Amino acid sequence: MDSSQIETGAPLSIEIAQIASPPITLSPTSTSTPRISKDAIRTSLRASTVDGVFAAVFSIGTGGILLGNLLVELDATPVVFGMVSSIPMLVNLFQPMGAYLSERSTSRFQYSLRTHGIARLLWLILVIGIVSFSGGGLNSNQLVILSLLILVCSHFIGGLGAASWLSWIAMLVPRQLRGRYFGLRNSIANFTELVSLPIAGLAVSHWYGGSIQGYGVILFLGIFFGIVSLGCQYFQVDMNPQLQNTYYANSSQTTEIKSDSVPNEPGEISEAISLPQMPTPQNQIDSSIWKNSNFLVFLLYFGSWTFAVNLSAPFFNLYLLDTLNLDVSWVTFYNSLRAGAHMLMLIVWGRLADKIGNRPILITTGILIAVIPWLWLRMGSSPLDLWLWLPLLHIFIGANWGGVDLCNNNLQIEIAPVKNQSIYFAIAAAVAGASGALGATIGGFIAQFAGSFGIAEVFVVSGILRLASLVPLIVKKDLGS
């Protein structure tokens, strides 16, 4: 899933200010290439960054530690926690259908508004459910079931628009600036989470009507900001998917950048940028998925990685809240430390990815992420653990996950052909979603029916499988640039 003053080697000249230009919908013209002015590109990138800020607030209220704390308060089982983690991934199986529908539309903005707008408004039903629970209309089991149903429906409908949104942004961000821009956008989103999550955690923990009512208030505010984030997309240059595919099919031209050299900073955008974005050698491979060896290797890596990660990841917060019996405000503090480290390192990873490529970063950070489940086995409830090792562990996780998230996103953009691009993104999400959901579900059953020893086994196996999933990246040395 953004503005702050962050010091870097060379300051990024993207300002979030006075976004007031209407969207520009590209339509067929008589010119050789449809083009977007540099001002339109700049406005689009600013709008997308602000979109990321408000979307981060929405995600705080509808997932993560706050939703997990609600389930703990409702005495949900570990299987439910596994389902909460697996549902968002499992519904990604329907992303190819969403990509197909989006390619038949004529506006990325309108399609995003329909899918993500409905998905976010559905959470209002859970707010009503919490009000009913407080008044005695629902019991805890019914509220747990309602939460799962809203989670399924919201992520299903939102997933139909995910690949279309990624394809939209991929076409707007110049390739030479991709790492730095996404690094900046994601870091500001994480800064928003860093500030908002502890405040939300304190509000939930100290709400006069109880933590469940407090969560209902935070959820309502999150929904409001989620709708505001969709409004920011109005100021992005709109894309016509049918024009994008038609143009790519009839032209082998690459992006035309009117400048004497490759721009060094996101603010140094050329006067006019042709669409589609400059294809890399990987983009020129036959558009048939089964003949695209780079994409198939990426699918193998991405699927095995998400399975290994989600085998253990859903149970870290459960361990803190249930086993160690920590207050939710402390757990949100730990998660804020992780978000802060994630934010600071994204700028570094983004600039480094533009220089050395995404694959080396994925291998390095992947190895470091692989040992995290083993480190969790050393965590306890002693003061030293609570005040030193747990904070350091969350900082370590956040710093390295920044590189994984950013470079996974950049690598699939780099590999996928421009024509029918959203379908490639959807297939990758579907494969990762199915494998991730399978991992979370298996881990949940083991954790519930095998006791504490079962959780230890899950952590050990998860670390081994994380390392094994990196083999395709190591073997395929020409994957990405």
Side-chain angles (χ1 to χ4, degrees), residues 7-38:
E7 293 294 329
T8 61
L12 300 175
S13 52
I14 295 181
E15 298 177 356
I16 313 302
Q18 299 177 350
I19 301 173
S21 301
I24 303 171
T25 303
L26 298 181
S27 57
T29 66
S30 58
T31 59
S32 60
T33 58
R35 305 205 294 193
I36 308 174
S37 70
K38 67 175 182 179

Side-chain angles (χ1 to χ4, degrees), residues 125-457:
I125 299 176
L126 183 57
V127 175
I128 297 173
I130 292 174
V131 173
S132 178
F133 173 81
S134 300
L138 293 177
N139 60 40
S140 59
N141 288 332
Q142 290 171 332
L143 190 57
V144 168
I145 294 173
L146 179 62
S147 301
L148 293 177
L149 288 175
I150 296 300
L151 197 67
V152 170
C153 295
S154 176
H155 282 276
F156 169 73
I157 299 175
L160 294 179
S164 177
W165 178 87
L166 183 56
S167 181
W168 184 11
I169 296 301
M171 294 298 293
L172 290 176
V173 182
R175 179 179 178 272
Q176 294 85 352
L177 309 177
R178 193 173 289 153
R180 278 166 283 179
Y181 174 71
F182 282 115
L184 175 67
R185 184 185 190 276
N186 294 345
S187 67
I188 298 178
N190 277 270
F191 177 76
T192 304
E193 183 179 350
L194 174 67
V195 174
S196 303
L197 187 57
I199 297 175
L202 286 172
V204 170
S205 179
H206 296 89
W207 189 259
Y208 69 93
S211 61
I212 294 179
Q213 284 188 16
Y215 173 72
V217 174
I218 295 300
L219 177 59
F220 180 79
L221 293 175
I223 296 168
F224 171 77
F225 285 113
I227 299 302
V228 172
S229 80
L230 294 179
C232 295
Q233 296 179 7
Y234 172 80
F235 300 98
Q236 297 174 198
V237 175
D238 201 1
M239 293 286 174
N240 185 334
Q242 296 184 28
L243 174 63
Q244 174 184 332
N245 296 332
T246 301
Y247 172 73
Y248 183 80
N250 296 328
S251 172
S252 60
Q253 268 185 285
T254 58
T255 302
E256 173 190 343
I257 299 183
K258 291 186 177 181
S259 62
D260 295 331
S261 61
V262 174
N264 293 318
E265 301 297 336
E268 300 175 25
I269 298 173
S270 60
E271 188 65 37
I273 299 179
S274 306
L275 293 179
Q277 300 293 349
M278 183 184 296
T280 61
Q282 289 85 354
N283 288 105
Q284 297 170 357
I285 296 176
D286 190 312
S287 60
S288 172
I289 292 175
W290 302 112
K291 295 180 181 180
N292 191 328
S293 61
N294 282 327
F295 186 71
L296 294 177
V297 170
F298 177 79
L299 288 182
L300 177 61
Y301 149 71
F302 203 33
S304 58
W305 172 259
T306 51
F307 175 86
V309 165
N310 287 283
L311 192 67
S312 58
F315 310 106
F316 297 150
N317 282 331
L318 175 62
Y319 177 78
L320 294 174
L321 291 167
D322 192 30
T323 304
L324 299 185
N325 198 29
L326 297 183
D327 185 80
V328 64
S329 60
W330 282 102
V331 181
T332 54
F333 169 71
Y334 291 147
N335 280 266
S336 294
L337 290 178
R338 182 174 64 185
H342 196 275
M343 173 197 69
L344 294 175
M345 286 301 296
L346 273 172
I347 297 292
V348 177
W349 294 128
R351 300 184 69 85
L352 192 60
D354 287 336
K355 292 181 180 179
I356 68 173
N358 299 292
R359 176 179 161 273
I361 296 176
L362 283 174
I363 294 174
T364 302
T365 55
I367 293 174
L368 296 175
I369 289 292
V371 305
I372 287 174
W374 302 338
L375 296 178
W376 273 95
L377 293 174
R378 305 292 300 174
M379 297 298 113
S381 57
S382 68
L384 185 63
D385 289 322
L386 297 178
W387 291 96
L388 178 62
W389 296 121
L390 278 171
L392 289 178
L393 177 60
H394 281 80
I395 293 173
F396 179 78
I397 293 172
N400 288 288
W401 264 116
V404 173
D405 289 341
L406 179 68
C407 293
N408 274 335
N409 180 71
N410 288 348
L411 188 59
Q412 67 173 313
I413 291 176
E414 187 175 328
I415 291 173
V418 174
K419 183 180 180 181
N420 295 322
Q421 192 178 51
S422 64
I423 295 178
Y424 278 76
F425 296 155
I427 292 173
V431 170
S435 57
L438 181 63
T441 302
I442 293 174
F445 278 103
I446 295 176
Q448 178 168 347
F449 297 113
S452 59
F453 180 70
I455 291 181
E457 278 188 331

